Amino acid sequence: MDKQGFTTGIVHGDRQPGAEHGGVRQPIHTSVQYGFERVEDLIGVFQGTKKGGFNYARQGTPTTAALERKITSLEQGVGSICFGTGMAGICAVFLTLLRAGDHLVSSRYVFGNTNSVFGTLRTLGIEVTTVDATSADAVANAIKPNTRMVFVETIANPGTQIPDLEGIGALCRERGLAYVVDNTITSPALFVPKAVGASLVVNSLTKTIAGHGAALGGAVTDTGLFDWSTYPNIADDYRGSAPKEQGLLQVRKKGLRDMGGSLSSEQAHSIAMGAETLALRVARCSDNALALARFLEGHEAIGRVFYPGLESHPQYAIAQKLFKGASWLLSFELRRADRMIDFVNALKLPIKATGLGDTRTLIIPVAPTIFHEAGPEVRKSMGISDGMLRLSAGIEDAEDLIADFDQALKLAL
Ligand SMILES: *Cc1c(COP(=O)(O)O)cnc(C)c1O
């Protein structure tokens, strides 16, 4: 079954012989409690000796478990944990695998709320250094004796910087550091971070994987590459399991069970439905983003265009080598920031909204919205100018998008 193509795997990978009434889709299990005929089985689920059992929905349901298996298979990992949001998954990783006195090295170019979490980690005594991770040397130079983990995003939002994913993977392997890669923007349809040595992969399921903008969710996947028996922060309770499983087990117990950012069965089902068309959507959105990027790059009202599918992008070669497409994320600058409001209001198709990876094209001015709270200094360090707009290309017909931009840009000249 491992030899199957990506989409075949998604739509056939979770067939269950003997399903009730022959149901083709995974049922939505709404039970919070799970009862047993024999109390020994209830005890076994609590003690982990009865595999695959459920006891209380905060720790997972058959529906969320089915989605976890799907994500694990897409990421070619050894296990996944689903969360109620991507941020719940990211926080669970940091808060359960880092301790006071530890040091985290992160790319400077990360999702705004992740950057905000770094502030919280600092209040808890965890040091965080952010560097320009497009250079593996910059990451190497930041490493200290108490460094435990390196965190990057595959394509940074909104500036589309791509870290030296392979170089950092080699560095983490050499230094024995956990390498956490946020794959949200690329999704496993374009890139599998295990290929560059990632230890853990984070996905906001809300974005590309669900694709419909109708459910929130997140996932953490262990690639099986990291030997957690060498990692100092695993609690004694979890040292008993296989070295590859200890990290995820601790995240499941301390992060999901105790912190409680659980995914509901209804949302898990909705995300699993969206995931079936993942590869189709991502290919179409990437084509649309590239067509728009080319159109914008040649337009007199436009300053810089940030899109890894353009030859002009600083990490174009990495994108070509590692990714199956350059994704739906595209940012650009108007030459005249003072024309921003008129231009965006003149657009008819794109929805003026935050959010990413939807079937509909979404557009948002970056500085006054998602990076407003970050302040001018952080914006400057991340290369975010006042005239920057972020676009999440949808699955519309490219000609319609280009025609709409063409008419609206007349107001930006
Ligand atoms: C949206 C996003 C997240 C957070 O996901 P939510 O599901 O909204 O909590 C994390 N990382 C990246 C790169 C994102 O775009």
Side-chain angles (χ1 to χ4, degrees), residues 16 82 90 95 105 130 137 139-140 192 225 228 233 268 270 279 302 329 357 360 373 375 405:
Q16 284 192 321
C82 284
I90 290 172
L95 293 174
V105 179
T130 59
D137 286 343
V139 175
V192 175
L225 296 180
W228 294 100
N233 296 347
S270 172
I302 301 293
L329 174 68
R360 296 158 188 82
E373 192 183 301
F405 272 80

Side-chain angles (χ1 to χ4, degrees), residues 85-87 90 111 153 157 182 184-185 204 206-207 216-217 356:
T85 65
M87 286 319 300
I90 290 172
F111 184 59
E153 294 179 5
N157 156 30
D182 183 334
T184 299
I185 307 294
S204 164
T206 316
K207 314 281 175 61
L216 288 162
L356 295 163

Side-chain angles (χ1 to χ4, degrees), residues 269-288:
H269 172 75
S270 172
I271 291 164
M273 298 262 283
E276 294 187 355
T277 55
L278 174 60
L280 286 70
R281 283 184 284 105
V282 169
R284 170 81 165 212
C285 293
S286 297
D287 287 350
N288 281 353

Side-chain angles (χ1 to χ4, degrees), residues 300-352:
E300 56 186 320
I302 301 293
R304 291 182 296 172
V305 179
F306 306 91
Y307 187 66
L310 291 175
E311 289 81 350
S312 57
H313 191 279
Q315 290 91 40
Y316 173 75
I318 296 184
Q320 290 292 310
K321 181 177 175 199
L322 297 181
F323 304 157
K324 290 204 191 93
S327 100
W328 36 260
L329 174 68
L330 156 70
S331 295
F332 58 96
E333 290 171 347
L334 295 179
R335 281 196 195 285
R336 296 186 53 183
D338 63 315
R339 306 302 299 156
M340 164 110 79
I341 302 287
D342 288 343
F343 160 68
V344 178
N345 280 334
L347 285 169
K348 297 191 180 85
L349 275 182
I351 296 172
K352 301 171 226 1

Side-chain angles (χ1 to χ4, degrees), residues 169 179-181 193-201 222-226:
Y179 184 23
V180 183
V181 178
K194 184 180 184 177
V196 295
S199 319
L200 296 175
V201 181
D222 194 318
T223 61
L225 296 180
F226 192 75

